[in-house]
Amino acid sequence: MEVIESRIDKNSDEFKANYAAMEKMVSELREELRIAREDRSEKALKRNAELGKLTVQQRLDKLLDRNTPWLEIAPLAARGLYDKKVHAAGSRAGIGLIHGREVVVNANDPMIKGGTIYPLGVKKGLRLQTIAMENHLPTVTLVDSGGAFLPLQSEIFPDADDGGRIFYNQAIMSKMNLPQITAVLGLCTAGGAYIPAMSDHVVHVKGTGAIFLGGPPLVKAATGEDVTAEELGGAMLHCRESGVSDYFANDDAEAMEIIRDIVELLPRKEKSRIPTRPPKDPIYEPQEIWGIVPRSISTPYDVREIIARMVDGSEFLEFKALYGPTLVCGWAYIHGYQVGILGNNGVLFSDSSLKATQFIQLCDRQGIPLLFLQNIAGYIVGREYERGGITKDGHKMVNAVATATVPKFTVIVGASFGAGNYGMCGRAYSPRFLWMWPNAQIGVMGGEQAADVLVTVKNDQLAREGKPPLPKEIVDGIRGPIIESALKEGNAYYSTSQLWDDGILDPAKTRDVLGLAISVSLNAPLADRVQGHGTFRM
């Protein structure tokens, strides 16, 4: 494969201005992540210490292999929502190594509202279960929660994708033979009691861990019986009498060690195989991406410059380089794993859509994972393009993305608007993982375009009624709020707070995150290669 020849001038004013802007955004991201991990009240810290509990970070440090990667999932979920204090939707979660084995970990944080579960906490739990099922990973759940946040119970309890789905998924995961390990480190109340009850292994800490369908206050109200949490559902009761729990631990540290022992003894399965070669660094520094990405998402740039700083040796075999130039497709390696890459260089036309369709089918038949680098305003519109078949050609691309069986990974590096989000494997098209960069924006369309559409529609209506178009002051009054709303609800932080993605990444770290994600995906078997019809060429 040829090395991509970079044409970036690192001494240009444009590069330096872009670099400074991204550096500021990455600095803000790091501070947001620090707040989510560390911002806890003195009262909560003191209470946790009085109970003899470890912090969530201390639990993770003892649970996971030392000095190994940790792929955190949704670290800024619920940011700015509720009372702005439900950091990370109430849990630390991600994929880490235990005795060299990749495992999904979901740890309640009892120092956030006592571990109370909010609606987005449920959504985060469901996302983690999806990751475990798609990638065939064992799960470790560190339970320390007082149960659902009752004032929002209508958003947590009744629907198909609410709290009950957690337990449904546990049953499906058991059927899939995916090991589930739960540590009961604090309260495990009401529906939450089913989490350990439906797990393969339950580690129970004496004194602080308690499992019960109804806690002492409910028992008192319902039966008049006075009982302590330890008497009602403590470790000795469930390890010695009920048999709900399997392993007795004296404290958090011992519980983490028992979990490590359990994981070490789990049967090992060989990972799926894809084309690999020894990994090597890009010849260009990944942090140069900071200076490449423009300050405005409407400013075009060559996606090859990003690819050159992500892939091994900056080497790239481009597919149909002269055809459909607004979409760059080709093969490369990331940390030794072969991938097929699709990156936007403008709006999608019929030719770029057809090119994508063929490329995706080739990768799917050859068992090569797909990486989508999204910076897309959408598919081209207009009379000429409709006559040329953009609707059916765009459909072919969307169909290929939806039906591809290989692992798919998406990074939104700029704009993600309209059907372009679908064609470039947005969340609805089930990429194994999806991340955003701090500069990214997502929505049906950009704020400027949305405002213009609404003004045009209104003026067309007035014209049909024989009235003059809207005066400038009214147009400005319409445009302003629409643009402001689009910027607020389309930015990366709004997206990640709603769990539309798996997190915001420093562009310079994206290569390493992708390497981890590809490794994780290979725990699941690759589907049988596409049979029945060959690749549709055009």
Side-chain angles (χ1 to χ4, degrees):
M1 293 188 291
E2 292 187 2
V3 173
I4 296 174
E5 182 181 351
S6 178
R7 292 178 169 81
I8 294 297
D9 179 3
K10 293 185 287 183
N11 295 314
S12 70
D13 292 341
E14 182 70 12
F15 182 93
K16 292 175 181 177
N18 290 341
Y19 192 100
M22 183 61 77
E23 185 176 34
K24 183 175 184 293
M25 284 188 278
V26 171
S27 177
E28 291 170 350
L29 172 61
R30 290 171 180 164
E31 177 61 13
E32 290 290 343
L33 291 170
R34 186 201 65 77
I35 290 170
R37 292 167 184 158
E38 300 176 10
D39 184 22
R40 306 293 183 269
S41 70
E42 289 298 324
K43 180 180 178 182
L45 288 165
K46 181 179 179 182
R47 175 63 175 164
N48 202 70
E50 288 174 347
L51 292 172
K53 295 181 179 182
L54 300 177
T55 66
V56 171
Q57 185 60 58
Q58 290 170 332
R59 289 169 176 172
L60 293 174
D61 289 343
K62 291 184 178 296
L63 177 67
L64 302 173
D65 296 349
R66 290 185 179 181
N67 301 317
T68 56
W70 165 247
L71 181 57
E72 189 154 8
I73 302 297
L76 297 178
R79 173 190 174 273
L81 302 177
Y82 309 121
D83 63 356
K84 301 184 180 180
K85 293 293 184 180
V86 186
H87 301 300
S91 71
R92 290 285 302 279
I95 301 168
L97 295 178
I98 299 177
H99 287 292
R101 182 167 187 158
E102 290 155 335
V103 175
V104 172
V105 180
N106 189 12
N108 294 135
D109 191 337
M111 291 187 288
I112 298 176
K113 312 292 186 182
T116 302
I117 305 298
Y118 282 70
L120 280 167
V122 172
K123 187 174 181 179
K124 184 171 179 177
L126 292 171
R127 172 64 187 145
L128 292 163
Q129 289 181 319
T130 297
I131 289 172
M133 288 187 283
E134 288 182 342
N135 299 288
H136 285 223
L137 297 173
T139 59
V140 172
T141 306
L142 307 182
V143 181
D144 196 343
S145 171
F149 182 62
L150 293 179
L152 296 178
Q153 63 87 24
S154 64
E155 300 177 39
I156 294 173
F157 174 70
D159 209 350
D161 287 321
D162 285 341
R165 194 73 175 189
I166 296 281
F167 316 124
Y168 173 91
N169 284 346
Q170 282 193 266
I172 298 301
M173 291 161 68
S174 181
K175 185 178 180 179
M176 293 173 66
N177 196 25
L178 302 180
Q180 299 173 69
I181 304 163
T182 294
V184 182
L185 307 166
L187 295 182
C188 195
T189 310
Y194 289 115
I195 293 176
M198 298 183 72
S199 296
D200 300 297
H201 300 273
V202 180
V203 182
H204 202 141
V205 176
K206 77 168 185 178
T208 57
I211 304 171
F212 29 60
L213 293 180
L218 180 58
V219 170
K220 174 69 173 178
T223 69
E225 181 183 7
D226 287 306
V227 62
T228 67
E230 185 71 13
E231 293 168 337
L232 185 62
M236 191 60 72
L237 174 87
H238 284 308
C239 287
R240 175 177 288 175
E241 298 182 43
S242 75
V244 169
S245 303
D246 308 308
Y247 308 90
F248 184 94
N250 289 291
D251 54 30
D252 286 6
E254 186 178 3
M256 298 305 106
E257 191 59 40
I258 293 171
I259 293 173
R260 287 182 56 81
D261 290 342
I262 294 168
V263 173
E264 185 178 22
L265 294 174
L266 293 177
R268 299 267 177 163
K269 295 181 180 179
E270 186 176 354
K271 282 189 171 186
S272 296
R273 296 180 182 272
I274 62 172
T276 60
R277 72 179 191 184
K280 55 183 175 180
D281 293 334
I283 66 171
Y284 307 107
E285 172 56 47
Q287 197 156 316
E288 291 175 4
I289 294 173
W290 290 8
I292 294 168
V293 176
R295 300 179 298 287
S296 169
I297 62 167
S298 62
T299 302
Y301 67 98
D302 190 348
V303 73
R304 296 175 186 86
E305 297 288 356
I306 289 177
I307 295 171
R309 289 155 178 84
M310 280 189 185
V311 302
D312 292 5
S314 302
E315 295 172 341
F316 186 60
L317 176 59
E318 188 163 351
F319 176 73
K320 288 186 183 294
L322 302 179
Y323 182 81
T326 60
L327 184 69
V328 174
C329 300
W331 290 277
Y333 289 83
I334 295 179
H335 280 284
Y337 298 109
Q338 188 177 343
V339 293
I341 300 175
L342 299 92
N344 299 118
N345 255 358
V347 297
L348 290 162
F349 290 82
S350 281
D351 55 1
S352 45
S353 300
L354 292 169
K355 175 166 117 174
T357 301
Q358 184 182 353
F359 180 72
I360 291 166
Q361 289 182 330
L362 285 171
C363 289
D364 199 37
R365 291 176 65 82
Q366 295 168 209
I368 299 170
L370 291 162
L371 168 60
F372 296 82
L373 300 177
Q374 273 200 32
N375 182 22
I376 180 66
Y379 288 87
I380 193 68
V381 296
R383 182 188 302 174
E384 174 188 350
Y385 304 107
E386 291 296 349
R387 184 185 298 119
I390 184 59
T391 299
K392 63 181 175 64
D393 293 333
H395 151 260
K396 292 172 187 175
M397 178 179 176
V398 169
N399 188 291
V401 172
T403 57
T405 60
V406 292
K408 298 173 289 190
F409 308 91
T410 301
V411 184
I412 301 177
V413 302
S416 178
F417 294 139
N421 171 278
Y422 306 153
M424 290 297 291
C425 200
R427 188 70 131 182
Y429 287 75
S430 295
R432 296 290 180 92
F433 299 93
L434 183 150
W435 298 278
M436 298 183 81
W437 282 358
N439 60 299
Q441 293 183 29
I442 186 170
V444 174
M445 61 182 71
E448 294 277 353
Q449 293 90 337
D452 288 343
V453 166
L454 290 176
V455 170
T456 299
V457 168
K458 182 60 178 176
N459 280 335
D460 288 347
Q461 179 184 347
L462 292 172
R464 288 194 300 270
E465 296 171 357
K467 298 178 181 178
L470 296 170
K472 183 179 183 302
E473 60 271 17
I474 294 181
V475 169
D476 291 343
I478 293 174
R479 286 174 54 83
I482 294 171
I483 294 171
E484 182 181 353
S485 176
L487 289 173
K488 175 187 175 184
E489 297 183 2
N491 72 43
Y493 285 106
Y494 189 90
S495 169
T496 208
S497 72
Q498 300 286 340
L499 275 156
W500 296 346
D501 57 62
D502 294 312
I504 304 174
L505 300 181
D506 173 354
K509 303 295 184 184
T510 302
R511 162 183 162 80
D512 293 336
V513 170
L514 288 168
L516 292 171
I518 296 168
S519 173
V520 164
S521 74
L522 298 179
N523 286 282
L526 292 175
D528 290 337
R529 304 282 50 84
V530 177
Q531 302 293 326
H533 60 74
T535 302
F536 287 121
R537 193 162 182 83
M538 287 294 152

